[in-house]
Amino acid sequence: MGVMTATPARDRRVLLAAPRGYCAGVDRAVIAVEKALEQYGAPIYVRHEIVHNKYVVQTLEKKGAVFVEETEEVPEGEIVIFSAHGVAPVVHEEAERGKLATIDATCPLVTKVHKEAVRYANEDYDILLIGHDGHEEVIGTSGEAPDHITLVDGPDDVQNVEVRDPDKVVWLSQTTLSVDETMETVDAIKGRYPNLLSPPSDDICYATQNRQTAIKKVAAEADLVLVVGSKNSSNSVRLVETALAHGAKDGHLVDNASEIDETWLEGVTTVGLSSGASVPDVLVDGVLEWLQERGWEDVELVQPVEEHMQFSLPKELRRDLRSEAADKVR
């Protein structure tokens, strides 16, 4: 590691992006699981990862949450929570058949996209859903209007799109995409269908946009950008891509400090740091400490936008779900 001397300690700095970490939808979903465990006792079943973060899932498991892939895995008369990414109507039907009490922790911004899908399907539009194939959120939204929705996975996929009436086409999107790439996809669709209708308000969530805005500022001055987040977290992966597209010389996604490779720091003066919308601050603090121990003690906050969004908790938490579930089994 002799190369390290090339950057005198006094020049080393960390640019800490803000906003970063938990968004309002993730905060609401995680608190919903914690509150359900407090109020109703373990086990509380959760369909799919409540949010895409390993540490959060493991922490909740220790408290008594049981994560399942499918609704059928939940025993009759139990409580199941639907994750922040949202579910298709058929999942609610499965829960009903399985005699389960449900708590819907779908992010309200995802619910907004679901409602748009239903509305445009009712008006007989062809809906082009921009998103990543197989992502839970895309599966949930598609399930709202399967006969009307076609998935468009990025600008290169636009050539494969077929619609019934070029004058009745609308686009919607997954909430955690790259803003820039989504607009590129929309432009490509408009190239084919000039009368393409846009949703009444942008589908990409405020938190995804804010984190991308902050990382662009940081990336312009960073030799290395570290984004804390899990590999299956769409918005975290997009942050690394956005950083590399906006001037960062190098960028990596890490779940925590233990995944940082010291060789990435060779010849590096400025490290940019951010985290995805499902990442608790304790993991970012761990990375800051790791960097501090290696001479990156000077931390500057880069905050181009303020964030004040909050969502109320799922209303089901105000009911006695244990007795409701028991009644279903009787």
Side-chain angles (χ1 to χ4, degrees):
M1 296 296 284
V3 191
M4 299 295 272
T5 50
T7 56
R10 68 172 184 276
D11 296 335
R12 292 182 199 162
R13 60 178 183 154
V14 177
L15 298 180
L16 183 61
R20 66 180 178 281
Y22 271 15
C23 60
V26 163
D27 201 34
R28 172 181 185 265
V30 174
I31 291 172
V33 179
E34 291 172 340
K35 281 248 185 277
L37 285 162
E38 271 169 41
Q39 282 173 220
Y40 310 122
I44 295 289
Y45 290 84
V46 184
R47 187 183 179 278
H48 291 173
E49 294 190 351
I50 187 74
V51 295
H52 285 156
N53 185 269
K54 269 191 210 168
Y55 174 88
V56 173
V57 168
Q58 286 162 359
T59 306
L60 292 171
E61 276 177 336
K62 287 189 188 112
K63 293 179 179 177
V66 179
F67 290 87
V68 296
E69 277 308 302
E70 296 307 332
T71 322
E72 292 88 67
E73 296 171 52
V74 183
E76 268 193 4
E78 287 289 349
I79 298 171
V80 65
I81 299 185
F82 298 138
S83 80
H85 309 102
V87 295
V90 28
V91 176
H92 289 279
E93 289 159 22
E94 289 166 6
E96 197 53 44
R97 278 201 304 277
K99 301 185 170 126
L100 306 175
T102 60
I103 298 172
D104 191 351
T106 302
C107 171
L109 299 176
V110 174
T111 302
K112 172 180 90 77
V113 181
H114 282 214
K115 286 181 174 155
E116 288 169 354
V118 171
R119 194 183 107 202
Y120 287 115
N122 287 339
E123 292 172 16
D124 204 31
Y125 274 83
D126 275 330
I127 302 164
L128 302 181
L129 177 61
I130 300 171
H132 297 301
D133 194 9
H135 189 279
E136 276 157 50
E137 190 190 316
V138 164
I139 294 168
T141 303
S142 301
E144 293 287 353
D147 300 339
H148 287 80
I149 290 179
T150 303
L151 180 67
V152 183
D153 199 339
D156 299 339
D157 199 18
V158 173
Q159 63 199 34
N160 306 317
V161 171
E162 293 297 328
V163 300
R164 293 166 304 159
D165 177 356
D167 292 328
K168 285 205 83 171
V169 188
V170 63
W171 70 272
L172 301 177
S173 87
Q174 186 181 328
T175 60
T176 52
L177 300 178
S178 147
V179 178
D180 299 339
E181 189 183 309
T182 301
M183 293 330 290
E184 205 183 307
T185 308
V186 170
D187 290 344
I189 299 170
K190 275 190 180 146
R192 289 193 61 188
Y193 306 114
N195 293 337
L196 178 72
L197 188 65
S198 293
S201 64
D202 201 336
D203 286 342
I204 295 176
C205 92
Y206 77 95
T208 300
Q209 296 191 37
N210 290 347
R211 280 150 193 66
Q212 288 175 18
T213 300
I215 204 77
K216 286 176 187 177
K217 272 256 192 292
V218 165
E221 298 182 51
D223 305 305
L224 167 69
V225 165
L226 298 173
V227 175
V228 184
S230 291
K231 306 280 182 287
N232 63 340
S233 161
S234 174
N235 78 87
S236 304
V237 173
R238 302 290 86 75
L239 283 176
V240 179
E241 292 171 359
T242 303
L244 291 169
H246 286 83
K249 297 183 182 69
D250 190 14
H252 297 275
L253 182 65
V254 293
D255 255 305
N256 53 52
S258 73
E259 292 185 4
I260 304 170
D261 183 336
E262 292 217 26
T263 60
W264 298 341
L265 291 172
E266 287 177 12
V268 165
T269 307
T270 301
V271 177
L273 178 60
S274 186
S275 58
S278 44
V279 177
D281 255 351
V282 58
L283 299 179
V284 177
D285 295 343
V287 172
L288 284 171
E289 282 165 27
W290 190 95
L291 288 166
Q292 206 172 353
E293 286 162 11
R294 285 153 185 81
W296 277 263
E297 289 174 14
D298 181 14
V299 179
E300 292 172 34
L301 192 68
V302 178
Q303 182 160 11
V305 274
E306 295 267 335
E307 206 168 82
H308 303 289
M309 184 81 83
Q310 278 184 313
F311 296 132
S312 56
L313 287 171
K315 57 186 183 306
E316 299 93 336
L317 287 164
R318 297 198 286 272
R319 309 206 309 251
D320 181 0
L321 290 187
R322 281 279 175 224
S323 59
E324 281 181 37
D327 288 345
K328 288 185 182 207
V329 180
R330 282 197 193 111

